Amino acid sequence: MSLDRRRFLAAALAAPALGRWEIQEEPPAGTGASRQDEKKPVLAPRVARFREMGFGMFLHWGLYSQLGAGEWAMHFRKMEPAGYMKLMGSFRAEGFSGREIARVARRAGMRYATLTSRHHDGFSLYDTRGLSPLDVTHTPAKRDLVADFVEGCRAEGVVPMLYCTTLDWSDSRFEKDWKAYQRYLRDSVELLCTRYGPIGGFWFDGNWSRKDVDWELDALYGLIRRHQPEALIINNTGIEAGGTLVHPEIDSVTFERGRPEPIEGVSPDKVVAGEMCHTFNFHWGIATRDFNYLSPAHVIEELCQCRRVGANLLMNVGPDASGRIPDYERAALARVGDWIALHGGAEGPIYRGRPAAARGEGDDFVLDLGERSFAFITGLTRTADSRAHGEARGAGPRVFRDLRPFAAARWLDDGEALKLEREGGRTTLHATAYPYGTNTVVRVAELRPA
Ligand code: GLC
């Protein structure tokens, strides 16, 4: 990470004045419960729905994709806006299809997709209706790509969400006229709220760039609540401030490329979700010289470790210059989709399972789903576990504590029963090795009550 970037990140908590918290509902009359007893964090339906989405696709795509050197290319190459924006002349978007993107996401088991409607370079993929000349209507692409994305997602049953940068390298108002810049930002978000039908959520990024200003979050978030009350509000606090709640309207905290932490209690008043965003190599926008790709196995592990703490995984792909998702990411994600299908698919623990009170050892963990529990067993073979450091733990006894009562344990992948021993609050599951032909990276045992 550059020094520059560190400085930006250090400012992550610059968000000002917290506004009003969600109002607690009164306890139902006649229950005898005092207000105090009933004071539980409120779970908004939009947050509950988001938690069950589990897995989403992040898309970083814009003018920079033509340079193939990541979404920060303008900044690191010290390009002036006038020079950089020449890329608008060759922005054709001939390979961009919201429908196709949504198909890739759905095939991977992803239930939502978050597209960069505008990134830090200041270029918008949508028709800003005169708010800025730096938008897609001034390129040969000549079509509103946010509209295409949103419609394509809806057609495939994938929830569309929009990433919005809050910092801008091209708009001089960002440095010179803060009030006017704030108005521009809000007008832009208002367009996104009012022109494209229901949007699943707004994902803000960039408040870490200035700590000397008032980000006027009450006004920005207030307009989303007004126009799109069901939309999630997310604000990326940056790599070093993952899991921080900067405003009471935030519905989900972010963990950028980190290991997500449990988020219970981050707000005493409302249930806040968690989302970890990660990318296939070290860049978000396509970088043709970055060969440092994650494997499907690694993505499966990341997904499981997110779900372990009730967080979602937002996995990034950087479409190529034309807007097409590259072959590697497409293929790798399909393999992740196969893993999910083998482990209960849409009705399985990956989406609907919640972190259990029961505990495993090391990376092993448990999710509860209704009356069933699911024990996730990691590191069965050396080659399975790309995240784990050190030796694989292999087949054999795995200890869990405080499991809820259950009658039998079976592997989800082949239905084989696991031998059990119980002693007080301690249960040992005897994890068998993979049968020949199988290596699911993380093996899951279903624990069913009689
Ligand atoms: C960082 C980067 C940005 C990227 C984001 C994704 O904040 O500045 O380029 O969009 O992470 O989480």
Side-chain angles (χ1 to χ4, degrees):
M1 194 173 14
S2 75
L3 269 180
D4 226 30
R5 181 91 176 90
R6 274 185 201 289
R7 215 187 46 223
F8 278 158
L9 290 170
L13 298 178
L18 297 186
R20 167 184 59 81
W21 289 83
E22 260 184 37
I23 312 285
Q24 273 291 310
E25 284 184 24
E26 290 289 329
T31 58
S34 74
R35 280 190 75 126
Q36 203 53 37
D37 297 339
E38 287 294 312
K39 194 163 165 47
K40 283 210 201 115
V42 174
L43 174 60
R46 62 175 179 275
V47 175
R49 279 196 299 273
F50 182 61
R51 294 198 307 192
E52 289 206 356
M53 291 182 202
F55 189 27
M57 177 184 281
F58 212 174
L59 293 132
H60 276 72
W61 186 60
L63 296 181
Y64 47 80
S65 308
Q66 296 178 66
L67 301 174
E71 80 289 358
W72 276 64
M74 174 184 181
H75 174 85
F76 287 119
R77 293 185 180 176
K78 301 192 176 9
M79 297 169 81
E80 290 304 321
Y84 177 84
M85 290 299 168
K86 292 211 172 87
L87 290 168
M88 287 174 67
S90 45
F91 188 72
R92 296 197 169 76
E94 68 278 18
F96 185 88
S97 155
R99 188 79 193 249
E100 179 56 17
I101 286 169
R103 280 199 192 105
V104 175
R106 196 158 63 90
R107 168 76 178 83
M110 295 163 144
R111 293 190 162 171
Y112 63 106
T114 307
L115 171 69
T116 48
S117 63
R118 177 191 299 152
H119 205 265
H120 309 335
D121 59 2
F123 175 76
S124 303
L125 296 180
Y126 56 101
D127 180 354
T128 63
R129 302 195 177 246
L131 289 179
S132 166
L134 308 179
D135 76 8
V136 70
T137 63
H138 297 89
T139 70
K142 283 239 175 317
R143 56 193 179 105
D144 188 318
L145 300 167
V146 165
D148 182 287
F149 168 73
V150 165
E151 283 155 23
C153 283
R154 286 202 195 108
E156 292 294 323
V158 170
V159 174
M161 306 212 186
L162 298 173
Y163 166 111
C164 301
T165 182
T166 60
L167 82 93
D168 199 307
W169 296 325
S170 296
D171 195 305
S172 58
R173 293 172 291 188
F174 180 73
E175 299 288 351
K176 300 202 177 98
D177 188 348
W178 188 248
K179 281 283 161 206
Y181 177 73
Q182 282 298 306
R183 249 190 330 271
Y184 167 58
L185 186 57
R186 281 201 291 276
D187 289 348
S188 303
V189 173
E190 190 151 33
L191 272 182
L192 296 174
C193 282
T194 52
R195 297 265 167 193
Y196 304 94
I199 301 295
F202 293 88
W203 207 101
F204 293 101
D205 183 28
N207 289 13
W208 35 261
S209 64
R210 287 192 67 173
K211 63 172 175 215
D212 56 323
V213 291
D214 178 359
W215 284 94
E216 301 179 21
L217 295 183
D218 288 349
L220 180 64
Y221 298 161
L223 85 83
I224 294 174
R225 289 287 182 252
R226 202 161 59 244
H227 293 298
Q228 295 262 353
E230 294 307 314
L232 273 278
I233 300 180
I234 300 177
N235 177 3
N236 180 23
T237 46
I239 293 178
E240 277 138 33
T244 316
L245 186 71
V246 290
H247 189 278
E249 290 298 341
I250 300 289
D251 294 312
S252 174
V253 294
T254 57
F255 301 90
E256 185 180 329
R257 289 187 274 209
R259 188 158 176 161
E261 302 290 334
I263 45 249
E264 281 76 29
V266 71
S267 157
D269 297 317
K270 78 186 249 192
V271 176
V272 176
E275 185 189 53
M276 203 258 279
C277 57
H278 207 325
T279 183
F280 262 102
N281 52 28
F282 208 70
H283 297 79
W284 302 91
I286 190 169
T288 50
R289 293 186 179 174
D290 183 345
F291 298 92
N292 191 18
Y293 286 101
L294 300 190
S295 64
H298 197 123
V299 178
I300 290 165
E301 287 164 356
E302 296 286 358
L303 177 61
C304 290
Q305 293 301 323
C306 283
R307 299 312 278 161
R308 172 189 197 155
V309 296
N312 292 1
L313 173 63
L314 182 63
M315 193 65 212
N316 180 70
V317 299
D320 67 15
S322 80
R324 198 179 167 279
I325 297 179
D327 291 341
Y328 177 77
E329 287 89 324
R330 190 181 283 257
L333 285 175
R335 296 306 285 156
V336 178
D338 293 342
W339 185 94
I340 295 174
L342 189 62
H343 294 85
E347 294 305 312
I350 279 297
Y351 304 103
R352 297 181 48 227
R354 297 297 308 155
R359 282 160 299 131
E361 293 181 338
D363 280 343
D364 294 351
F365 66 96
V366 182
L367 298 181
D368 288 341
L369 200 183
E371 296 197 315
R372 295 173 298 158
S373 296
F374 292 85
F376 284 65
I377 292 177
T378 57
L380 266 180
T381 68
R382 191 166 308 180
T383 52
D385 196 345
S386 59
R387 279 182 61 120
H389 298 287
E391 290 298 296
R393 294 166 66 198
R398 297 296 178 103
V399 173
F400 290 87
R401 289 187 170 71
D402 303 327
L403 286 167
R404 299 183 301 176
F406 69 97
R410 287 183 185 282
W411 289 124
L412 273 187
D413 55 26
D414 67 358
E416 187 203 355
L418 279 80
K419 250 180 55 203
L420 316 163
E421 278 161 55
R422 306 185 214 229
E423 200 196 314
R426 201 180 125 104
T427 306
T428 306
L429 299 181
H430 286 272
T432 44
Y434 295 115
Y436 179 74
T438 302
N439 185 338
T440 59
V441 184
V442 179
R443 208 170 183 198
V444 185
E446 178 179 6
L447 318 182
R448 274 185 179 274

